[in-house]
Amino acid sequence: MKPTTVIGFLGSTLDAAKFGPSRWNKWRPTVSICMQEDLRVDRFVLIHGSYHRRLAEFVMQDIRDVSPETEVVPHVMDFEDAWDFEEVYGKLLDFARDFSFDPDAQDYLIHITTGTHVAQICLFLLTEARYLPGRLLQTQPQKGAPQPIGTWTSIDLDLSRYDSIASRFAEASAESTSFLKSGIETRNATFNRMIEEIEQVAVRSRAPILLMGPTGAGKSQLARKVYELKRLRHQVNGPFVEVNCATLKGDSAMSALFGHKKGAFTGAVQDRPGLLKSADKGLLFLDEIGELGLDEQAMILRAIEEGRFLPVGADTEAKSEFQLIAGTNRTLMDEVAAGNFREDLFARLNLWTFTLPGLAERREDIEPNLDYELERFAEREGTRVTFNKEARDRYLAFSESPSARWQGNFRDLAASVTRMATLCPTGRIDREAVDFETGRLARLWSGGTVENDSLTGLLGQDRMTAIDPFDRVQLEYVVQVCRRSASLSDAGRTLFAASREQRTSTNDSDRLRKYLARFELEWSLIKEVDREARR
């Protein structure tokens, strides 16, 4: 039988009594809990305000007298206004997040008979939302009995029985959904609905989750967020273990996943627990699960269903209880049909399957993710970088346009922001930096070189479509000459070689500079893009 911890408020009125033998004739709910013959209390966390410290010490001593085996832990919690829902809920939520809960090793009872009505409601809400991972405890005096013991009842909350108050948790659910999105105010309706469903599955189910979608769509980050949410709700207390199955090849795959015994093969100089064992009581994320061999898939299936597997070279099975999230950029149904993926494993994973769309399918989410990436850069590098308005509008016009392919999805966006922020030592991303970066992205996505895609790389697809084909041909030639030339003057002399012989004064560099300005181009930008492309 697991030890029991009770958490409850000191009752400033109900628990109060004059010192002397007569106090034992009065029902005092906090003391009565520890007098129950059918309830062993190993630890009592007694929440009280500083003003009631003397009463708390008095009650704690009485608990020690009637139940010496109970450890009483006082916890001071002061409120400016004990009837303010926001303040009380906030401080109790902080308490729940800081408390070292271990539901696998202990039972928790949340006493809701004492405290203000506001405190009782907040305790109920936090227990229902699993921030307090226990059962509610109610106590009451026993009618017609002179003894002060009273009676007690525990309630294991079940949402299906309390539909009428489910709306109270809308805010907590919204908070969890925002948490899964890293606080990003995403605008894509389909994606938002999917995240809401994942949030419900994450907090109500331990079944495997399958995340499908292209590389860079955010599967790994979402899996980690699911883990953090479940840990916040005290549903896991083990680690988050992430495995890229594409890196597990040959005989080493079995050892890495399931561990091995010393001497199992050449080089096995000591026991190795394996990644599945490391994920015990936590969450295992198998990214690119479609890369696993059929033998590994069979053992993974058994580990999911029974929590047991056989390490390499072992005679006895190992145990590990973990929740599985699998990720893949393949279409597993096609892999099953081709014989590359086990049908029974796919059936086991396919209970909760979510397909994450690529960034190109969520263009309305580029702007909030742009701000998120700037925040990440500031946290990582300790330097805050921003756009000027013209540069930001220019970058968004390019990135949200149909020509922006975003083949690497959010990895492309993160890398793009990092490059612009790093190359702007003033902390301000300007138009020139944006033009340079959008040119780089256009070349990356087209697979083109500087020579055969020079204009698209410099201008971006949207600006290219605004230039007449006649001007495009001329501008392409001018850019190629600029790339081959050592200076602006040198390029001007080459381009205006015939007409310069007929003029009395020549300023070829100024003439070329004005021509490039018609297309919002500069000599320095052309040369910088050329140098970058040749690295």
Side-chain angles (χ1 to χ4, degrees):
M1 190 173 181
K2 292 188 289 188
T4 298
T5 294
V6 174
I7 299 173
F9 277 91
L10 175 72
S12 58
T13 300
L14 292 177
D15 285 330
K18 293 182 179 180
F19 184 78
S22 62
R23 72 182 186 278
W24 296 110
N25 294 324
K26 178 186 177 183
W27 174 73
R28 292 177 293 163
T30 299
V31 178
S32 76
I33 292 173
C34 301
M35 300 173 69
Q36 303 294 327
E37 294 184 0
D38 55 349
L39 176 62
R40 176 185 172 91
V41 179
D42 298 276
R43 184 169 56 150
F44 199 122
V45 180
L46 186 61
I47 303 172
H48 65 88
S50 301
Y51 181 79
H52 298 110
R53 191 182 302 274
R54 290 186 61 185
L55 175 59
E57 292 172 351
F58 178 51
V59 169
M60 288 164 58
Q61 184 57 54
D62 280 352
I63 291 175
R64 295 187 188 102
D65 290 341
V66 299
S67 181
E69 69 275 11
T70 300
E71 175 192 7
V72 186
V73 181
H75 183 91
V76 177
M77 186 181 296
D78 289 319
F79 302 109
E80 292 184 10
D81 182 358
W83 295 93
D84 184 316
F85 269 98
E86 182 177 359
E87 181 189 6
V88 175
Y89 186 91
K91 289 190 174 179
L92 283 172
L93 178 60
D94 291 341
F95 165 81
R97 285 174 168 169
D98 292 340
F99 197 92
S100 298
F101 289 103
D102 186 2
D104 290 332
Q106 293 225 0
D107 284 329
Y108 297 94
L109 294 174
I110 314 303
H111 190 209
I112 58 170
T113 302
T114 52
T116 64
H117 294 323
V118 171
Q120 293 169 8
I121 292 171
C122 290
L123 286 175
F124 176 92
L125 293 174
L126 290 167
T127 304
E128 182 78 3
R130 293 290 297 172
Y131 286 107
L132 295 172
R135 294 171 292 154
L136 296 178
L137 173 64
Q138 289 181 303
T139 56
Q140 60 184 5
Q142 189 172 3
K143 295 181 179 180
Q147 292 86 2
I149 298 178
T151 60
W152 67 280
T153 305
S154 68
I155 303 171
D156 198 358
L157 293 176
D158 178 1
L159 270 177
S160 65
R161 297 169 52 198
Y162 297 92
D163 289 339
S164 62
I165 52 174
S167 60
R168 292 190 177 214
F169 307 116
E171 183 176 347
S173 179
E175 179 184 345
S176 298
T177 301
S178 177
F179 182 83
L180 290 182
K181 297 189 295 183
S182 300
I184 303 171
E185 294 296 328
T186 53
R187 303 163 183 169
N188 183 275
T190 301
F191 178 77
N192 286 341
R193 283 195 299 271
M194 182 186 68
I195 292 296
E196 290 174 2
E197 187 174 344
I198 292 175
E199 183 268 337
Q200 295 181 51
V201 172
V203 299
R204 298 182 187 178
S205 173
R206 287 185 53 83
I209 296 173
L210 177 60
L211 301 179
M212 303 178 69
T215 299
K219 297 186 292 292
S220 179
Q221 182 175 352
L222 180 57
R224 183 175 289 276
K225 283 295 183 181
V226 168
Y227 165 76
E228 292 174 358
L229 178 61
K230 293 180 76 70
R231 189 173 181 85
L232 189 63
R233 299 294 185 91
H234 309 290
Q235 294 178 342
V236 296
N237 54 23
F240 176 81
V241 177
E242 180 175 356
V243 186
N244 187 335
C245 297
T247 65
L248 304 178
K249 299 296 182 182
D251 296 337
S252 63
M254 284 287 192
S255 174
L257 287 171
F258 308 106
H260 64 246
K261 301 299 291 183
K262 177 180 178 181
F265 51 84
T266 302
V269 296
Q270 60 183 11
D271 290 352
R272 179 180 184 179
L275 295 167
L276 266 68
K277 185 65 176 177
S278 299
D280 190 27
K281 307 299 182 184
L283 191 148
L284 176 67
F285 176 51
L286 293 181
D287 197 12
E288 304 305 343
I289 193 171
E291 300 284 346
L292 283 181
L294 294 175
D295 291 340
E296 289 83 6
Q297 293 175 28
M299 291 187 66
I300 287 289
L301 176 60
R302 184 161 185 260
I304 297 171
E305 293 181 337
E306 302 179 17
R308 295 182 296 168
F309 53 90
L310 190 66
V312 178
D315 296 325
T316 57
E317 293 180 323
K319 295 181 179 180
S320 180
E321 295 181 6
F322 57 86
Q323 181 168 359
L324 176 70
I325 297 181
T328 181
N329 61 7
R330 299 186 178 189
T331 303
L332 290 188
M333 288 177 288
D334 294 343
E335 295 297 308
V336 170
N340 299 324
F341 200 82
R342 293 182 62 98
E343 185 175 5
D344 49 3
L345 177 57
F346 176 67
R348 190 69 177 85
L349 296 176
N350 199 32
L351 174 62
W352 298 111
T353 300
F354 302 96
T355 300
L356 274 63
L359 185 57
E361 301 174 62
R362 297 172 50 196
R363 296 183 188 275
E364 62 268 62
D365 286 342
I366 290 176
E367 184 173 10
N369 274 281
L370 177 64
D371 295 330
Y372 172 71
E373 293 298 341
L374 287 171
E375 287 295 326
R376 285 183 64 194
F377 181 86
E379 293 173 3
R380 185 172 64 247
E381 304 297 336
T383 302
R384 185 165 295 279
V385 177
T386 59
F387 285 87
N388 66 40
K389 186 178 187 307
E390 182 185 7
R392 182 183 176 90
D393 292 344
R394 199 178 187 91
Y395 186 80
L396 288 173
F398 167 82
S399 59
E400 294 174 353
S401 69
S403 60
R405 297 169 63 181
W406 295 114
Q407 293 169 324
N409 295 295
F410 291 94
R411 292 178 184 173
D412 275 358
L413 181 62
S416 177
V417 172
T418 297
R419 285 193 292 265
M420 289 187 292
T422 301
L423 296 175
C424 288
T426 62
R428 195 79 165 163
I429 299 173
D430 56 21
R431 191 185 75 176
E432 183 177 349
V434 167
D435 288 343
F436 178 54
E437 177 58 26
T438 54
R440 183 203 300 262
L441 289 172
R443 291 195 311 278
L444 171 68
W445 296 331
S446 67
T449 63
V450 174
E451 286 73 24
N452 63 25
D453 197 27
S454 56
L455 290 187
T456 302
L458 281 169
L459 301 174
Q461 191 62 44
D462 281 355
R463 291 167 63 195
M464 278 287 289
T465 57
I467 300 176
D468 290 330
F470 174 84
D471 289 326
R472 255 185 250 172
V473 175
Q474 184 181 64
L475 181 58
E476 174 70 27
Y477 178 75
V478 170
V479 168
Q480 290 180 9
V481 171
C482 289
R483 294 189 189 283
R484 296 194 299 264
S485 302
S487 66
L488 185 65
S489 297
D490 183 36
R493 283 192 295 271
T494 301
L495 289 166
F496 307 120
S499 61
R500 73 191 309 269
E501 298 295 333
Q502 303 171 10
R503 288 181 281 123
T504 56
S505 62
T506 59
N507 190 346
D508 298 324
S509 59
D510 183 62
R511 189 177 176 187
L512 176 56
R513 185 182 297 108
K514 289 178 180 178
Y515 174 81
L516 293 173
R518 287 173 49 197
F519 304 97
E520 300 182 23
L521 287 176
E522 297 177 3
W523 166 265
S524 58
L525 175 62
I526 295 173
K527 300 302 286 184
E528 182 63 31
V529 170
D530 184 45
R531 284 193 296 272
E532 183 64 29
R534 297 180 188 279
R535 289 179 184 174

